[in-house]
């Protein structure tokens, strides 16, 4: 290139706002033929002297000039960690030439990358505590899972604060924030330097542990955390003790997803809330929970498709043997004919909230069945139907209007219905449940206390509530004749019922001898296999007809 051409090129280069230089092969290396002011000011080199740019990308330059490519782009950083600059480098030429000449331009992306880095850091950081948030915690865990050198020697701990919602409700959100910040500091102090602490939820913290000595490390850390939180927290004028539930999930080669491992630890937290101690995730417990979720879906579908049905077990007068009522019991068989046990699907219905539509269906179905029996008998068929009310159902539904609608729709008097509820229903909200019971009593229904003696019995409430019948749980009745303690318990319940003006029903009667003994003790009604197992509606009516004739 002629000198005048070089000068014209240098002048045109200086008009460019970005660093640019013309590079020419010089033996085994390269030299800068022309460089503009932005290139020189950036400290990237010049025509005279060494160029840090050429020193660092010479191998890449050689590969480019020896190839047939006309353009190549790549990122490059220059400087130390404190003042590092980030560039997008472009190598370009018009055609392959013998001089190995090419144009090098650089676009400074430092500001954009720093902004992106800061935004990402903010996205992955909890603004209140300054710890990593759920997304940041997951990123660290993903990196650890992907590190093959770790060989699954790590664990995730999830720490859930108990009673935190009460602090927020009673002292306000500012006090709640102050508590979270203080808890974070204490947790940080209980951990080792290389353990990662994150705030993964409102009152939930996640900890990523490296297991140096084995799984026992997780137990030691859990105990240190419980110790750190055992000292009361001072908020305003109050001293508050905050307990926690801790779930542990150990890394394994079978789990390659960070979110799955966190879910395992969260599942273990639920068990910790029950046991009161740190709990490790167990596959079997998780499988049971998955089965319950599957059952919930199937139960919801069964309700929609009308696959539920009621069976009826007779309740007899112990003195006369006459059938006075039938207890209606929910049963479920799927389209394949598989029967599901109530002990399995009722708890699932209660936990999922499906107990509300299930309970409404049972009330309406029982009323419809009783009206059908009356029609077949040509009038009052002479029995009541009993329907069970769940404690969850009483909390979430308005029972009295549901019962009133069912009775009115089927032309039944309230006296034809017995509603059975357990002692556990009273414990949740005694005053509200008392109001519901009085409303049901106002409809003329009979109220029975089911499984009496197995739960929490508040005799003061028992005296005030409009209860007509106490049902003695089968655990006291079965084997009673050979157990003096059971006889004493049954006698006590019968005496209590008599003092309160209530009738009694003994469940689980399996022999005539037992029925006769209970009758002699003063028990009013009996229910059990000695009379019949739960029957389908038609079979129950046939039994009723046979007894009447």
């Amino acid at each position: 290139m002629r000198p005048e051409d070089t000068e014209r090129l240098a002048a045109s280069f200086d008009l460019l706002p970005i660093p640019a230089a013309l590079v020419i092969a010089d033996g085994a290396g390269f030299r800068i033929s022309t460089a503009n002011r932005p290139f020189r000011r950036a400290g990237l080199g010049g025509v005279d002297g060494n160029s840090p740019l050429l020193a660092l990308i010479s191998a890449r330059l050689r590969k480019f000039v020896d190839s047939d490519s006309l353009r190549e782009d790549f990122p490059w950083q220059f400087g130390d960690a404190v003042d590092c600059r980030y560039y997008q480098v472009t190598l370009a030429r018009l055609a392959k030439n013998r001089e190995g000449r090419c144009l090098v331009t650089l676009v400074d992306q430092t500001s954009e990358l720093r902004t992106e880095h800061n935004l990402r850091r903010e996205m992955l950081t909890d603004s209140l505590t300054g710890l990593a948030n759920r997304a940041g915690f997951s990123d660290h865990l993903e990196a650890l899972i992907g590190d093959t050198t770790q060989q699954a020697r790590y664990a995730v701990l999830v720490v859930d604060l108990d009673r935190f919602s009460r602090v927020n409700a009673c002292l306000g959100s500012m006090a709640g924030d102050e508590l979270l910040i203080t808890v974070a500091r204490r947790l940080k102090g209980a951990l080792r330097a290389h353990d990662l602490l994150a705030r993964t939820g409102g009152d939930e913290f996640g900890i990523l542990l490296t297991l140096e000595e084995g799984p026992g490390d997780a137990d030691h850390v859990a105990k240190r955390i419980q110790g750190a939180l055992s000292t009361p927290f001072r908020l305003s004028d109050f001293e508050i003790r905050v307990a926690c539930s801790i779930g542990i999930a150990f890394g394994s080669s079978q789990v390659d997803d960070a979110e799955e491992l966190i879910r395992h630890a969260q599942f273990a937290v639920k068990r910790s809330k029950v046991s009161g101690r740190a709990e490790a995730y167990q596959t079997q417990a998780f499988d049971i929970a998955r089965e319950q979720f599957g059952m919930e879906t199937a139960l919801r579908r069964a309700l929609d498709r009308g696959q539920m049905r009621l069976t009826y077990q007779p309740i007899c007068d112990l003195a006369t043997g006459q059938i006075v009522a039938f207890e209606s019991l929910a049963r479920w068989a799927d389209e394949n004919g598989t029967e599901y046990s109530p002990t399995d699907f009722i708890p699932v219905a209660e936990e999922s909230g499906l107990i509300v539509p299930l309970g409404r269906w049972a009330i309406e179905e029982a009323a419809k069945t009783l009206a059908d029996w009356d029609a077949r008998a040509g009038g009052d068929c002479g029995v009541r139907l009993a329907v069970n009310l769940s404690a969850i159902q009483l909390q979430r539904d308005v029972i009295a209007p549901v019962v009133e609608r069912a009775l009115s729709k089927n032309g039944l008097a309230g006296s034809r219905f017995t509603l059975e509820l357990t002692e556990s229903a009273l414990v949740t909200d005694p005053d509200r449940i008392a109001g519901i019971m009085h409303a049901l009593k106002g409809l003329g229904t009979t109220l029975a206390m089911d499984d009496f003696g197995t739960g929490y019995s508040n005799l003061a409430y028992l005296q005030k509530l409009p209860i007509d019948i106490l049902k003695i749980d089968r655990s006291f009745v079965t084997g009673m004749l050979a157990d003096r303690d059971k006889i004493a318990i049954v006698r006590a319940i019968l005496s209590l019922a008599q003092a309160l003006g209530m009738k009694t029903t003994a469940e689980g009667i399996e022999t005539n001898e037992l029925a006769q003994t209970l009758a002699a003790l003063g028990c009013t009604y009996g229910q059990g296999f000695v009379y019949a197992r739960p029957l389908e509606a038609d079979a129950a009516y046939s039994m009723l007809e046979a007894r009447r004739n």
Side-chain angles (χ1 to χ4, degrees), residues 406-438:
L407 293 172
S408 176
K409 181 180 177 181
N410 292 280
L412 298 171
S415 59
R416 306 293 304 286
F417 248 38
T418 297
L419 298 167
E420 299 185 0
L421 62 158
T422 60
E423 293 172 275
S424 60
L426 296 177
V427 179
T428 54
D429 190 348
D431 294 332
R432 181 174 178 275
I433 301 302
I436 293 172
M437 293 177 71
H438 282 291

Side-chain angles (χ1 to χ4, degrees), residues 353 391 393 434:
Q393 184 184 0

Side-chain angles (χ1 to χ4, degrees), residues 189-210:
L191 301 179
R192 302 164 299 183
H194 55 277
D195 295 332
L196 173 69
L197 175 65
R199 183 185 172 206
T200 53
D203 58 353
E204 179 185 277
F205 292 85
I207 301 168
L208 181 55
L209 298 179
T210 302

Side-chain angles (χ1 to χ4, degrees), residues 92-110:
R93 58 185 173 179
L94 293 176
K96 189 171 182 180
N97 51 79
R98 285 176 298 175
E99 298 89 350
R101 186 170 61 248
C102 70
L103 177 65
V104 180
T105 57
L106 300 94
V107 177
D108 192 341
Q109 296 181 324
T110 305

Side-chain angles (χ1 to χ4, degrees), residues 124-194:
L124 301 179
T125 303
D126 174 51
S127 59
L128 179 65
T129 61
L131 302 172
N133 59 16
R134 175 66 178 262
F137 188 69
S138 294
D139 278 3
H140 280 92
L141 184 53
E142 286 283 5
L144 194 60
I145 290 174
D147 185 357
T148 56
T149 62
Q150 282 294 326
Q151 297 180 347
R153 293 178 59 83
Y154 55 89
V156 170
L157 272 68
V158 169
V159 180
D160 188 85
L161 304 183
D162 300 336
R163 301 196 309 152
F164 176 75
S165 58
R166 291 184 61 188
V167 174
N168 263 347
C170 298
L171 302 182
S173 58
M174 293 289 287
D177 289 349
E178 182 183 345
L179 177 61
L180 287 172
I181 293 170
T182 310
V183 167
R185 288 172 183 163
R186 289 198 189 178
L187 291 177
K188 193 74 174 174
L191 301 179
R192 302 164 299 183
H194 55 277

Side-chain angles (χ1 to χ4, degrees), residues 43-284:
L44 299 173
V47 175
D48 300 321
N50 295 324
S51 167
L53 172 66
L54 297 187
L56 293 170
I57 68 168
S58 59
R60 194 148 198 165
L61 270 171
R62 173 58 62 188
K63 185 177 179 181
F64 174 71
V65 298
D66 289 343
S67 70
D68 294 326
S69 300
L70 299 180
R71 178 185 175 118
E72 182 180 346
D73 298 280
F74 58 91
W76 179 69
Q77 62 187 62
F78 172 57
D80 55 28
V82 176
D83 189 27
C84 186
R85 310 295 297 179
Y86 300 91
Y87 294 98
Q88 179 71 13
V89 180
T90 300
L91 308 179
R93 58 185 173 179
L94 293 176
K96 189 171 182 180
N97 51 79
R98 285 176 298 175
E99 298 89 350
R101 186 170 61 248
C102 70
L103 177 65
V104 180
T105 57
L106 300 94
V107 177
D108 192 341
Q109 296 181 324
T110 305
S111 177
E112 292 88 340
L113 289 175
R114 284 178 179 171
T115 300
E116 181 182 335
H117 175 75
N118 290 337
L119 286 173
R120 179 167 177 78
R121 184 174 58 192
E122 289 180 14
M123 289 173 59
L124 301 179
T125 303
D126 174 51
S127 59
L128 179 65
T129 61
L131 302 172
N133 59 16
R134 175 66 178 262
F137 188 69
S138 294
D139 278 3
H140 280 92
L141 184 53
E142 286 283 5
L144 194 60
I145 290 174
D147 185 357
T148 56
T149 62
Q150 282 294 326
Q151 297 180 347
R153 293 178 59 83
Y154 55 89
V156 170
L157 272 68
V158 169
V159 180
D160 188 85
L161 304 183
D162 300 336
R163 301 196 309 152
F164 176 75
S165 58
R166 291 184 61 188
V167 174
N168 263 347
C170 298
L171 302 182
S173 58
M174 293 289 287
D177 289 349
E178 182 183 345
L179 177 61
L180 287 172
I181 293 170
T182 310
V183 167
R185 288 172 183 163
R186 289 198 189 178
L187 291 177
K188 193 74 174 174
L191 301 179
R192 302 164 299 183
H194 55 277
D195 295 332
L196 173 69
L197 175 65
R199 183 185 172 206
T200 53
D203 58 353
E204 179 185 277
F205 292 85
I207 301 168
L208 181 55
L209 298 179
T210 302
L211 304 177
E212 297 175 343
E213 302 295 331
D217 286 358
D219 292 327
H220 294 319
V221 170
K223 289 177 182 176
R224 286 204 301 270
I225 289 170
Q226 289 169 330
L229 298 183
S230 63
T231 305
F233 294 81
R234 187 166 188 83
L235 297 176
S236 301
D237 296 328
F238 300 94
E239 281 193 353
I240 300 171
R241 188 180 298 276
V242 177
C244 67
S245 301
I246 302 176
I248 306 169
F250 294 99
S252 70
S253 56
Q254 285 75 37
V255 181
D256 58 0
D257 180 67
E259 287 298 322
E260 185 178 357
L261 195 60
I262 295 172
R263 285 195 300 272
H264 289 176
Q266 289 173 326
F267 182 79
V269 165
K270 292 185 178 181
R271 296 179 57 235
S272 175
K273 287 182 180 294
V274 176
S275 68
R277 61 177 183 272
E279 292 283 355
Y281 164 77
Q282 295 179 1
T283 306
Q284 184 178 10

